[in-house]
Amino acid sequence: MLKEFKSFIMTGNVIEFAVAVIMAGAMGLVINGFVGDIIMPIVGQFSGGVDFANLKIVLTEASGVEGEAGYVSENAIRWGAWVNTIVNLLVVGLVMFFIVKAYNKTKTPPAPAAPKGPTQEELLAEIRDLLKKQ
């Protein structure tokens, strides 16, 4: 069983998948940083200096002192963070589009199919027609 597992884990597909997952995690961090630290401040500047990450609709205000008995934390709809997530999705989609487009350019086009010859029935019909003429 251990030998089978080693054989399975060392196949190319599993290794490639593992590398892809690790790269996707790293790419996610880079894109989150790009959106949060570069794109959203620019968007906020054009929308009047608004920080989208902190925009929310407070349903229940926080009350009491944190860490003490009777403390109630704030309950809010954080729609600004959701806007950041949507921008993240769009940036990820755009990056993936460019990666796939570049990958497709590196692939060689498939060789054109060889021209098809006549089928067996067509050859037999041709032979029959030639025999009839004689």
Side-chain angles (χ1 to χ4, degrees), residues 5-6 24 31 38 53 60 69 78 87 98 104 108 111 127 134:
F5 178 71
K6 181 181 177 187
I31 290 173
I38 296 173
T60 306
R78 298 180 55 219
V87 172
F98 286 131
N104 285 339
T108 57
I127 292 170
Q134 290 181 358

Side-chain angles (χ1 to χ4, degrees), residues 6-118:
K6 181 181 177 187
S7 173
F8 166 75
I9 209 69
M10 295 308 288
T11 62
N13 292 340
V14 174
I15 301 297
E16 290 169 4
F17 181 68
V19 169
V21 168
I22 292 168
M23 289 300 295
M27 184 65 116
L29 292 174
V30 168
I31 290 173
N32 282 336
F34 177 72
V35 170
D37 299 332
I38 296 173
I39 298 295
M40 291 315 289
I42 294 170
V43 170
Q45 184 66 32
F46 286 116
S47 63
V50 177
D51 180 11
F52 278 88
N54 295 325
L55 294 178
K56 58 188 170 187
I57 299 171
V58 178
L59 302 174
T60 306
E61 293 283 339
S63 62
V65 178
E66 189 173 352
E68 292 185 5
Y71 171 73
V72 177
S73 63
E74 177 182 76
N75 183 17
I77 298 171
R78 298 180 55 219
W79 66 272
W82 185 71
V83 169
N84 282 354
T85 303
I86 296 297
V87 172
N88 265 352
L89 175 68
L90 294 174
V91 171
V92 168
L94 185 67
V95 168
M96 292 308 297
F97 170 76
F98 286 131
I99 288 173
V100 170
K101 190 172 181 174
Y103 173 73
N104 285 339
K105 282 186 179 180
T106 63
K107 292 190 329 185
T108 57
K116 286 190 171 184

